[in-house]
Amino acid sequence: MVAEVIVDIAHSEVDKVFDYKTDGVGVLLGSRVSVPFGRMMTEGIVIGLKEKSDFPEEKLRSIIKTLDDFPVLNDGTLKLAGYIKDEYHVPFALALRLFIPAELRGGRIKEKIVSYAELNPTVSPIEMVASLRKGSTAQANAIGYLRDVKRVKLSDINEKFGNQAIKKLIDRGYVLISSEHASRTPYKEIEAYSKKVSLTDEQRSAIESIESTDKPVSLLFGVTGSGKTEVYLKIINDTLNKGKTAIMLVPEIALTPQMLRQLRARYGDDVSILHSGLSAGERYDEWLRLKTGEAKIAIGARSAVFAPLDDLGLIIIDEEHDGSYDAETNPRYKTVDVAKKRAEFSGCKVVLGSATPSIDSYDKALSGEYNLAVMKSRVNGKMLPEFDVVDMRAEIKRGNESIFSSSLKNNLQKCLSEGNQAIVFFNRRGYSRQVICRDCGYVAKCKNCDISLNYHKDGNVLKCHYCNASYKMLSACPECGSVNLSYSGAGTQKIVDEIKKYFPEARVLRMDNDTTRNKEGHYKILKEFADKKADILVGTQMVAKGHDFPSVTLVGILDADMSLYFSDFRSNERTYQLVTQVAGRSGRADKKGVVVLQTYNPDHPVLLYSVNYDYTGFFERERSIRKATGFPPYALILRVMIESFDEDSGISVLKSVYEKLKGVYDGNPENFLFFNKMKSPVKRINGKNRFQVLMRLTGNYNAVKNEIYELSLAEKTADVLVYVEENPANLY
Ligand code: ADP
Ligand code: ZN
Ligand code: ZN
């Protein structure tokens, strides 16, 4: 037998299949093997087996051994790796690495061993105690304790009775030690919890629709609080009952303790968590439990789509619209696309869930490519919370220069006095560099792209990140002549300080990147808030995601319009999603919810659609804008990035990439809506100079796209990085 092996070296020069003899070594498809390569030994993955090589037998070297007791990939995941290699133009080795915990590669993993203590059964505890020296109370107590509990972790009794005492007992032969391999269970402190519910009619028909459709992908479009989690749990349950396994993806696992808790309650150790925030050991243990079939459900952020499950029956992507599903490092995969491919190769179903589907997914649902399941109302029949839209221009005219409108202050007052909780959402990311008139709400936009401009201190200009047009910085508002222009703002800490000023008694929690640095930081803050140890939660995007706090009756959205003006073609979409998601935290249980939305543009169509919960209206408008201006999903944005420490070598690679691509452009003008080379909007990051060729493709562009990838990547040199991004979230 001959094995086709991909060696674990992610370099384009060795990115090919190497044949090895398998003689004697029982090699299976998808196995990790150790092979000689050049003068060294390396690890590789067997991606094919055949009777004969095209190379003469005597030229072939032999596989030394297999590295695990099982193949790490199966037929479906091997095909998926192949797809990723082709689609994102990365070396096969890099695609394969997605499926293997980093700790396994290079044999770096250490098993966690736990030692246990128990009394020596051949000596009676009474004899033991009698033989002790007078005053050895700790030893005597330890013997008594062990007699009662039988077997216990060594570390526990060491802590209880002191290492000294226990060591003496071990030396005397009274206490015996044994060791075991232990699985590290992440998020142990998240207790299993579930409440028994009977499904609503809407939930039942959504489940029915998802389970009976013969389309591979379903979009579950359910308003906030419609009970999507119960739908997920039921279809997971039905999948397991058929003897199959399931993957559940969430945008950020630390933000979804509720989901974890319910899965734990129902499936206990059948659930495995895959998450980059875990320790290396934990990650490996969880991976292994899935690989060996001990666990049947994988829950995790985007990389869990690579979970090593056999007999996969279901992949759920919750909050499918979330930006975290786009990988931003090589390979720059799109999780929804990868999930669909995995489903195709392993014959399973995909369910995309959201209260605010991405334009792309809803478009596919309307066109019939996806099955559409809709849940229009909240489970308890409660109305969605009502909006109070506050015009901040009017507030300023009335002399209120504070971040808080009087409506928000009054509502906070009321909420607190009734013993309820509030969430104050603040879009710090919004405070990048858009220029907005504080008097009339005017925002500077690009004439070509209808996308807001970014202020660049460098040169004191306004720039469009999509077409590179440059405009003179404004000294006054072109609409109303005001000089009250703003392009910077406060931070979350400032908001907390403000709240304390008005409500000195209130207990305030802050959740943002600064307060959630450590592993379970999110979880701790959410738990504190859920336990009602705080009255107000102030935070960025993180507070918007899926939380279910029954006591929250007020949500305040400060500067709702800021996200409208990100220089991102998705900014309308993101704004609609954010407003709807944050608002959806209010009034989820019995008490009625209110949302105070502060804006300088109360008449902006996107905000109007949001406050009326009119997703379809929003969608129709957005779709026609995207069609008219040639943006995704009706076009593809491609950006070839060139990065180098040395400016001149960067420029020279930029030139050669541009020359090559210019050829493609000239040969296929019908496929290009836009083609230009330029410096990147942010010219230097960490000392690296950044250049780009930006393109928008239309029509049947697949061949052109592949050509662009190949020609560009071929220009990469030892010190100039070249990569390609598709529909990048930020053009910085
Ligand atoms: P969504 O994800 O759609 O915003 P959740 O799944 O968080 O909504 O559900 C909202 C709340 O409704 C949760 O507290 C959940 O336990 C509860 N719930 C879900 N389904 C039912 C049901 N059939 N009967 C009663 N309560 C339910
Ligand atoms: Zn103005
Ligand atoms: Zn432009």
Side-chain angles (χ1 to χ4, degrees):
M1 274 297 229
V2 173
E4 299 177 321
V5 173
I6 299 292
V7 295
D8 188 23
I9 301 169
H11 200 289
S12 46
E13 265 152 49
V14 296
D15 186 26
K16 49 187 157 222
V17 179
F18 293 95
D19 285 357
Y20 284 90
K21 283 186 284 195
T22 63
D23 37 36
V25 184
V27 175
L28 297 171
L29 196 66
S31 299
R32 238 160 39 95
V33 291
S34 171
V35 291
F37 190 75
R39 290 195 193 163
M40 52 177 202
M41 296 294 286
T42 183
E43 293 176 8
I45 302 280
V46 177
I47 63 151
L49 289 165
K50 55 192 178 188
E51 283 306 320
K52 249 181 84 55
S53 173
D54 294 339
F55 291 96
E57 170 94 29
E58 62 279 10
K59 287 239 170 120
L60 294 187
R61 302 170 82 178
S62 295
I63 288 178
I64 305 297
K65 59 173 183 188
T66 57
L67 291 166
D68 315 284
D69 302 336
F70 43 78
V72 288
L73 282 91
N74 62 25
D75 184 55
T77 45
L78 278 174
K79 285 198 181 115
L80 190 60
Y83 159 80
I84 288 167
K85 162 185 83 84
D86 292 338
E87 181 68 17
Y88 303 106
H89 298 260
V90 292
F92 211 153
L94 208 58
L96 288 167
R97 281 181 192 172
L98 295 167
F99 296 83
I100 306 167
E103 300 74 31
L104 198 60
R105 296 173 36 236
R108 269 166 292 155
I109 192 69
K110 284 199 198 71
E111 277 188 311
K112 184 176 177 187
I113 302 297
V114 174
S115 300
Y116 290 88
E118 60 196 317
L119 289 181
N120 183 342
T122 62
V123 189
S124 90
I126 301 174
E127 263 176 69
M128 291 181 188
V129 173
S131 76
L132 295 175
R133 265 204 299 167
K134 261 219 161 114
S136 310
T137 348
Q139 290 181 58
N141 289 344
I143 291 169
Y145 179 75
L146 279 171
R147 185 194 55 205
D148 294 340
V149 303
K150 308 277 187 270
R151 191 162 183 267
V152 64
K153 271 192 194 158
L154 179 60
S155 55
D156 290 353
I157 53 165
N158 273 337
E159 201 176 310
K160 258 195 162 68
F161 304 101
N163 297 9
Q164 288 291 343
I166 302 302
K167 177 152 189 316
K168 282 188 189 136
L169 291 174
I170 295 170
D171 291 346
R172 280 168 177 261
Y174 290 171
V175 168
L176 305 179
I177 301 298
S178 53
S179 298
E180 259 178 32
H181 164 84
S183 274
R184 287 149 277 221
T185 312
Y187 294 99
K188 238 188 297 208
E189 63 284 10
I190 296 184
E191 299 134 36
Y193 166 82
S194 84
K195 58 181 176 205
K196 262 248 151 308
V197 301
S198 49
L199 297 172
T200 65
D201 288 345
E202 278 198 329
Q203 285 170 326
R204 227 168 306 160
S205 56
I207 292 162
E208 154 79 23
S209 150
I210 292 167
E211 294 188 336
S212 64
T213 180
D214 44 18
K215 292 180 184 165
V217 184
S218 289
L219 175 64
L220 174 60
F221 172 24
V223 299
T224 57
S226 59
K228 292 186 283 299
T229 315
E230 287 297 330
V231 173
Y232 300 148
L233 291 170
K234 175 75 169 88
I235 53 180
I236 290 175
N237 200 47
D238 293 344
T239 303
L240 296 194
N241 283 342
K242 281 187 252 160
K244 300 206 165 190
T245 60
I247 295 175
M248 165 102 219
L249 302 181
V250 294
E252 165 59 81
I253 199 150
L255 293 175
T256 38
Q258 291 145 28
M259 190 82 78
L260 264 184
R261 197 180 288 170
Q262 304 220 28
L263 280 172
R264 278 250 168 93
R266 297 189 200 193
Y267 305 111
D269 285 343
D270 274 353
V271 182
S272 157
I273 301 167
L274 295 174
H275 174 44
S276 60
L278 304 181
S279 73
E282 287 173 336
R283 230 167 19 219
Y284 172 70
D285 289 345
E286 290 293 275
W287 183 87
L288 194 62
R289 295 200 309 115
L290 290 165
K291 181 69 234 176
T292 56
E294 191 189 315
K296 298 189 166 50
I297 306 166
I299 176 168
R302 64 169 181 254
S303 62
V305 74
F306 306 111
L309 283 162
D310 294 322
D311 304 316
L312 190 61
L314 176 67
I315 304 174
I316 296 172
I317 305 186
D318 188 28
E319 313 284 1
E320 63 90 25
H321 60 273
D322 198 273
S324 69
Y325 288 120
D326 290 356
E328 283 183 345
T329 53
N330 218 12
R332 294 179 164 70
Y333 64 88
K334 312 276 175 190
T335 307
V336 173
D337 294 340
V338 171
K340 286 196 286 193
K341 274 290 161 190
R342 183 157 188 184
E344 187 185 318
F345 295 138
S346 45
C348 78
K349 286 198 169 194
V350 175
V351 175
L352 309 174
S354 179
T356 51
S358 68
I359 296 292
D360 189 31
S361 295
Y362 198 67
D363 190 50
K364 290 197 165 80
L366 289 190
S367 76
E369 188 180 334
Y370 295 171
N371 169 46
L372 180 61
V374 184
M375 300 200 293
K376 289 201 177 89
S377 39
R378 287 192 155 178
V379 277
N380 48 11
K382 277 267 138 39
M383 297 285 286
L384 288 158
E386 214 166 285
F387 279 91
D388 177 17
V389 178
V390 181
D391 184 346
M392 292 305 277
R393 297 168 305 184
E395 289 284 315
I396 291 177
K397 288 212 179 92
R398 268 196 271 126
N400 177 12
E401 295 273 341
S402 138
I403 322 173
F404 296 93
S405 61
S406 31
S407 164
L408 184 52
K409 274 186 250 173
N410 294 339
N411 274 293
L412 270 171
Q413 180 68 60
K414 181 159 173 281
C415 172
L416 294 175
S417 67
E418 286 169 357
N420 293 324
Q421 290 179 298
I423 292 179
V424 174
F425 168 73
F426 167 71
N427 206 341
R428 179 159 52 183
R429 252 197 71 209
Y431 284 103
S432 38
R433 305 200 185 91
Q434 292 72 35
V435 178
I436 179 165
C437 170
R438 302 238 295 162
D439 285 324
C440 77
Y442 166 86
V443 171
K445 282 192 166 189
C446 176
K447 294 196 178 77
N448 310 326
C449 306
D450 194 32
I451 277 173
S452 64
L453 298 169
N454 268 242
Y455 174 63
H456 285 244
K457 231 181 181 162
D458 232 13
N460 195 34
V461 289
L462 298 170
K463 268 194 180 174
C464 171
H465 289 181
Y466 283 85
C467 73
N468 209 29
S470 180
Y471 302 81
K472 254 186 27 215
M473 177 55 192
L474 304 170
S475 49
C477 171
E479 296 277 310
C480 76
S482 161
V483 290
N484 201 357
L485 301 177
S486 120
Y487 42 97
S488 67
T492 25
Q493 182 55 53
K494 170 122 188 269
I495 288 160
V496 172
D497 296 344
E498 282 289 283
I499 293 182
K500 292 231 166 102
K501 224 161 59 194
Y502 300 120
F503 306 102
E505 309 281 279
R507 298 164 301 168
V508 186
L509 273 175
R510 176 160 73 100
M511 183 149 106
D512 56 26
N513 279 329
D514 302 328
T515 59
T516 53
R517 285 239 180 81
N518 48 20
K519 187 168 102 188
E520 279 154 28
H522 297 97
Y523 170 68
K524 284 199 191 106
I525 295 174
L526 293 174
K527 174 118 173 60
E528 238 176 281
F529 194 59
D531 292 345
K532 299 196 75 173
K533 290 188 184 131
D535 308 304
I536 304 173
L537 176 64
V538 176
T540 53
Q541 274 84 333
M542 296 171 192
V543 303
K545 312 216 172 176
H547 313 302
D548 193 34
F549 301 115
S551 296
V552 171
T553 57
L554 173 65
V555 161
I557 304 178
L558 311 177
D559 289 316
D561 23 5
M562 275 307 174
S563 64
L564 281 171
Y565 309 118
F566 292 161
S567 49
D568 176 349
F569 73 90
R570 292 190 192 87
S571 43
N572 285 339
E573 186 179 349
R574 295 273 182 252
T575 304
Y576 185 89
Q577 287 160 355
L578 266 172
V579 170
T580 311
Q581 297 287 349
V582 195
R585 302 315 111 208
S586 184
R588 289 171 74 86
D590 308 328
K591 300 167 192 162
K592 195 169 173 312
V594 176
V595 183
V596 177
L597 181 140
Q598 302 186 169
T599 171
Y600 291 97
N601 290 269
D603 302 322
H604 194 290
V606 171
L607 295 182
L608 292 178
Y609 287 122
S610 311
V611 304
N612 290 310
Y613 297 103
D614 182 5
Y615 176 82
T616 34
F618 161 73
F619 174 84
E620 292 299 341
R621 175 178 185 269
E622 188 61 21
R623 172 159 73 174
S624 58
I625 295 178
R626 302 258 187 110
K627 271 195 174 143
T629 49
F631 275 93
Y634 310 105
L636 177 77
I637 301 173
L638 268 193
R639 174 160 86 149
V640 178
M641 283 297 299
I642 294 143
E643 296 183 359
S644 70
F645 286 106
D646 178 51
E647 189 167 7
D648 291 339
S649 35
I651 290 173
S652 106
V653 169
L654 172 69
K655 278 191 184 136
S656 49
V657 167
Y658 179 78
E659 282 311 312
K660 293 271 166 62
L661 298 189
K662 182 83 172 43
V664 182
Y665 171 63
D666 290 338
N668 308 272
E670 73 285 1
N671 285 127
F672 284 82
L673 292 170
F674 181 84
F675 176 76
N676 205 353
K677 71 167 188 292
M678 53 179 95
K679 281 201 169 178
S680 296
V682 181
K683 296 187 201 75
R684 271 160 77 90
I685 293 181
N686 292 330
K688 268 193 183 158
N689 298 286
R690 309 166 82 241
F691 308 92
Q692 66 185 35
V693 180
L694 193 59
M695 290 154 281
R696 276 207 324 269
L697 303 183
T698 180
N700 229 331
Y701 52 67
N702 262 329
V704 166
K705 180 182 102 176
N706 288 334
E707 211 179 334
I708 292 171
Y709 262 102
E710 266 152 40
L711 293 172
S712 313
L713 297 183
E715 298 301 320
K716 180 161 63 182
T717 69
D719 33 52
V720 182
L721 183 64
V722 179
Y723 59 90
V724 183
E725 294 175 326
E726 296 185 25
N727 296 339
N730 308 298
L731 282 188
Y732 58 87

